[in-house]
């Protein structure tokens, strides 16, 4: 088991890598050249900047039993198909039961934005979200 983090814009990189270290699980960050990470004991893979370049690299690295942290529903779906566990930065664990509805919501939002509709962005991150994330990550690490 490894922890792979889609580190482009991920607000829980430190929380996730610290948790992996406590559990003795190797952690790997995948990001593009627009981001810079250097954390002790954590492997960082930097890919060329481009649409979804980090996502494609990560999905090619993921193996059954790995845990992936991502807020990208498409990447989460690909990781689930490779029999990895996946969760988002707020502690939502992606599963076969919720991924289709999340992908549909993403598609619908994209169509609305293309039509000129302005959608509300995410609210400010709270300590409760960090707690929920850590609880879900700890659960996945103990189950895998």
């Amino acid at each position: 088991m490894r922890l792979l983090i889609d580190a482009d814009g991920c607000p829980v990189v430190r929380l996730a890598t610290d948790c992996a270290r406590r559990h003795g699980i190797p952690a790997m960050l995948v990001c593009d050249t627009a981001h810079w990470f250097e954390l002790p004991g954590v492997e960082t893979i930097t890919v060329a900047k481009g649409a979804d370049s980090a996502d494609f690299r990560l999905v090619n690295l993921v193996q059954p039993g790995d845990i992936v942290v991502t807020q990208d529903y498409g990447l989460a779906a690909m990781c689930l198909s490779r029999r990895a566990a996946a969760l988002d930065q707020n502690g939502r664990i992606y599963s076969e039961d919720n991924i289709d509805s999340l992908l549909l919501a993403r598609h619908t939002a994209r169509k609305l934005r293309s039509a000129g509709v302005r959608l509300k962005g995410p609210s400010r991150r709270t300590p409760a979200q960090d707690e929920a994330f850590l609880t879900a990550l700890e659960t996945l690490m103990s189950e895998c």
Side-chain angles (χ1 to χ4, degrees), residues 2-8 10 28-32 43 45-47 52-64 66-72 74-80 82 84-87:
R2 299 174 300 168
L3 177 67
L4 289 85
I5 303 170
D6 177 11
D8 290 342
C10 181
M28 181 183 303
L29 305 177
V30 181
C31 59
D32 67 27
E43 181 180 357
I45 296 176
T46 306
V47 298
D52 301 321
S53 59
D55 296 347
F56 291 127
R57 177 71 173 159
L58 193 150
V59 82
N60 284 318
L61 291 168
V62 75
Q63 299 172 358
D66 286 343
I67 299 172
V68 176
V69 177
T70 183
Q71 53 190 317
D72 184 306
L75 175 57
M78 290 186 283
C79 292
L80 289 175
R82 291 181 169 248
L87 75 159

Side-chain angles (χ1 to χ4, degrees), residues 121-143:
S123 56
R124 182 173 291 253
R125 186 153 186 87
T126 67
Q129 289 170 306
D130 288 345
E131 276 185 46
F133 170 76
L134 277 175
T135 299
L137 184 57
E138 293 272 354
T139 299
L140 286 175
M141 287 183 174
S142 65
E143 289 176 354

